[in-house]
Amino acid sequence: MSRPGTRPRMGLLRVFAALPLVALFALSGCSDNDDGNKGRPNPPPPTTDKVNAPVTGPVAVIRRTTNGVPHVKANDLESAAFGIGYSQAQDNVCVLADAFIKARSERARYFGPGPGNIHVINDFSYKAQRILSGAAAEYAAMSPEGKALIRGFATGYNKYVRETPKASLPLECRNAPWVFEVTVNDVVAHLRIMAGIASGELFATGALFIAVPPGVDPNPVPVAAALAPPGKLDAIGETARFARANAVEQQFADLGLASNAWGIGADLSENGRGVLLANPHFPYTGTRRLYEMQITVPEYVNFHGAGLYGSPIPQIGFNDKLGWSHTVRSSRRFTMYQLALKPGDNLTYIKDGVEKPITSEMLSIQVATGGPTPVTLQRRFYFSEYGPMLAADAVTSGGLPAWGAAGTAYTYRDANADTRNLLDTWLKMARATTLEQFRDVFRNCGSTLWVNSTYADDQGNAYYIDSSSVPNLSPTAIAVVKGKMAGSPAYKALFDSGLTLLEATSRDDWVEGTCRGLVPYEGRPQLARRDFVQNSNDSYWATNPVAPLEGYSPLFGPERTAQGPRTRIGLYMLKNPAVAGFGAEAPAGQDGKFSGADLARVLHNNRTWYAEEFLGELRSRCTLVGAGLVNVTGGAPRSVESACNVLRAWNGRYDLDSVGAHVFRVFIADYRSKFATNLAIPLNPADPVGTPSTPAPVVPADIANDPMLMSLAAGLNRLDQAGVAYNATLGSVQVFQPTGGAAPGGTAVALGASFPWHGGDGTID
């Protein structure tokens, strides 16, 4: 099945069987065979065309190593992307096909309305965000390199789809009509959705869909009602009511994604060169899964790493001179605007005393309803000069008024709506050979969308930069935002949840500058060191506590605030590399200097800050209470003695064979809610690792109401309810169950047996 539009050229591929070679990606220590020239200029451009494939079509060689990792080699960039597109289709054609359907706003066409009509909501929302309709202009504005990467990837994907019988596809898309050849615009549209993970995607589940003026029905209507079975149309008609009834205040600052990254410099490495720890915490399924690959174009680029599905180039990894990883950032990817409506007119707002129109556009999608042909639904969507309108009452669940209710309406501007140089950023990073060349990518307005970058190189440099897309506000606008946060608890609550609410005035417009409204290189938090830099999803502030980063726009994140447990345990190990703590061995061994092997062990040492901070005190209070009863809020008093005996023997780690890790987890899940009231030592900005800390002194005469023991008792009740033994090993109660085999909206099935899983829960411990 084909689609109209630009059809990529045919190509040739040679695929080799697996070789007895294992490619390591999680970290890299650079080699010793370097000329030592720092800051050397970029190599001269090649004399042959290293970007575009020959007129006869792209040609690539794919070698797969022991665990199936594709290593793609080609004479030009387009051909290398051709190999990557083919490899990704070989491994996950169903995931990619669904991603392209999603980007085309066609999920409802093939899969029906979806649970809660989510496919209808998504499809309309992506059309309103102009995901596909804007792709052609984005592609046209791309550099020759960007176009070559897109073109090659599409050609490789299409080659696999064209040559593979539909009956031979994986179960979840076998014989499916939604697996077809794609155009370059489809690939760009998919990347546009990926770019909006931390911005536009957040509004595609209801808030954009139900944004209508007072008195306007947000329900889509069929173009030809007679063609649709009445029952199915009734279900579709519930779309808006479903979305509004399920509107809850989102934490827009929390994407459910996380990562750790360390850049080790010469002062802390064994060989005086850089070492990089890349520990991304991304899903194991879907398009947010990372795909490992190597891309080689001799005399042009040789880069090994991992990228999101549908990307023709890795986003993290290393070449022979340097490496970097990304961590999801705490900064802002969009700003929300409050429009002051003209009295009596809900489609006109006033900006700087001038009337501005709220425009509209009729959009349509197709929906499978069980009949012989899909039903076409249509609905009018609304736009300001900033972007699509939003139903603020759905975004904040009562925190902000509905359209027109207080003479206001709401809209937003997306920092990642423009993706024309998206691929150029990662290509230039992959081609860099020095820190200055790496920095040049961001001096020239490169952006990594919604992640930080942590870097190390063969010259012993460690470097961190918030390289994401952050709106560039004027000093006056920033001062107003800070003033509102200080003076309005409601405004601060909105800001802390990830919503930067501005007014539709020229004062609050983005400063376009040289980077199309984004903060330029000079205004980004960044730090170069010879010891270390790190990030574990907290803000830039404590990248290295010796040199705190302060004075930046609040849109980059908070300063002088308590750090999370992953940041604190990471910083503790970096500041105390020869101290084992609860670990089986010291992070950097006896010499206190990190090697690649040391970092590999750190990656899986299963240490947790909360255990190292609180376990000793909890054991002491266990001794005080003994067999006595501990009160439980809303429940009967109970003994904690048997669990305390388990905690006394626990090694303080989340190893597969650790006994007590899950008992401590249910304790800390409750006790962390008491930090604000029970910790005696507040945050000291000079000690972001050690503070806040220290539970309030125990009161022996009132031990039954001790906050720590009460948290333990509450957690034990939950284990009892689940029938989980206190003396179980972590590996017996924490497992990973592979699932899949179903089309989107279907019921997944188990793919093999579950197996034990080590480590903590990043949202708890």
Side-chain angles (χ1 to χ4, degrees), residues 69 120 140 232 243 321 534 569 578 655 662:
V69 175
V120 173
K232 292 290 184 180
K321 302 297 181 185
Q534 63 74 41
I569 190 64
D655 299 332
H662 63 296

Side-chain angles (χ1 to χ4, degrees), residues 312-628:
I313 189 170
Q315 275 78 60
I316 61 178
F318 58 91
N319 60 31
D320 66 337
K321 302 297 181 185
L322 55 85
W324 74 84
S325 191
H326 293 315
T327 50
V328 177
R329 63 188 173 87
S330 61
S331 48
R332 310 304 170 97
R333 289 73 55 175
F334 64 90
T335 54
M336 192 170 171
Y337 283 91
Q338 177 179 286
L339 309 179
L341 296 174
K342 177 183 178 181
D345 185 352
N346 288 311
L347 292 177
T348 302
Y349 63 99
I350 309 299
K351 179 179 179 181
D352 298 336
V354 177
E355 294 184 2
K356 299 274 190 173
I358 295 176
T359 60
S360 67
E361 182 179 348
M362 186 69 75
L363 301 176
S364 64
I365 65 168
Q366 291 187 313
V367 184
T369 60
T373 58
V375 173
T376 298
L377 295 182
Q378 66 179 16
R379 223 217 63 191
R380 188 170 295 280
F381 284 79
Y382 298 85
F383 306 86
S384 74
E385 65 186 279
Y386 300 103
M389 299 296 291
L390 291 176
D393 52 330
V395 170
T396 59
S397 187
L400 292 173
W403 190 332
T408 59
Y410 294 85
T411 183
Y412 75 101
R413 182 175 177 184
D414 191 334
N416 283 321
D418 185 338
T419 60
R420 73 186 75 175
N421 66 347
L422 180 154
L423 296 177
D424 288 332
T425 295
W426 280 292
L427 177 61
K428 291 175 181 177
M429 291 162 72
R431 296 190 67 207
T433 59
T434 67
L435 176 56
E436 287 309 303
Q437 290 175 15
F438 189 83
R439 283 171 152 170
D440 282 343
V441 178
F442 307 109
R443 291 187 178 106
N444 293 320
C445 300
S447 169
T448 56
L449 304 177
W450 33 269
V451 289
N452 307 285
S453 297
T454 299
Y455 162 108
D457 67 24
D458 63 350
Q459 299 302 308
N461 297 304
Y463 178 63
Y464 160 87
I465 182 171
D466 186 328
S467 50
S468 57
S469 303
V470 176
N472 189 19
L473 299 184
S474 69
T476 302
I478 289 174
V480 171
V481 168
K482 289 181 176 179
K484 289 180 178 179
M485 283 196 290
S488 169
Y491 186 90
K492 188 176 187 306
L494 279 178
F495 192 88
D496 289 345
S497 73
L499 293 175
T500 306
L501 182 59
L502 305 176
E503 299 173 32
T505 64
S506 57
R507 179 200 69 201
D508 286 358
D509 283 350
W510 298 2
V511 179
E512 294 303 315
T514 58
C515 294
R516 298 194 297 274
L518 304 183
V519 176
Y521 170 82
E522 295 77 13
R524 298 173 183 263
Q526 54 188 290
L527 182 65
R529 298 284 299 180
R530 299 290 285 180
D531 51 358
F532 73 83
V533 296
Q534 63 74 41
N535 187 266
S536 290
N537 309 120
D538 285 305
S539 82
Y540 54 87
W541 172 59
T543 295
N544 186 319
V546 174
L549 296 171
E550 297 183 348
Y552 293 91
S553 165
L555 273 63
F556 279 106
E559 300 171 2
R560 295 180 169 240
T561 55
Q563 303 297 287
R566 282 186 293 113
T567 298
R568 292 174 75 178
I569 190 64
L571 284 172
Y572 183 81
M573 289 190 284
L574 286 163
K575 290 167 65 69
N576 301 277
V579 176
F582 282 0
E585 56 192 319
Q590 293 182 349
D591 62 0
K593 301 283 188 176
F594 287 101
S595 67
D598 290 330
L599 285 191
R601 287 188 291 270
V602 166
L603 191 68
H604 295 106
N605 70 12
N606 294 320
R607 289 173 66 176
T608 166
W609 175 255
Y610 286 146
E612 305 207 12
E613 183 176 17
F614 296 121
L615 182 57
E617 182 63 28
L618 180 59
R619 286 169 171 167
S620 296
R621 298 185 187 209
C622 278
T623 299
L624 282 174
V625 74

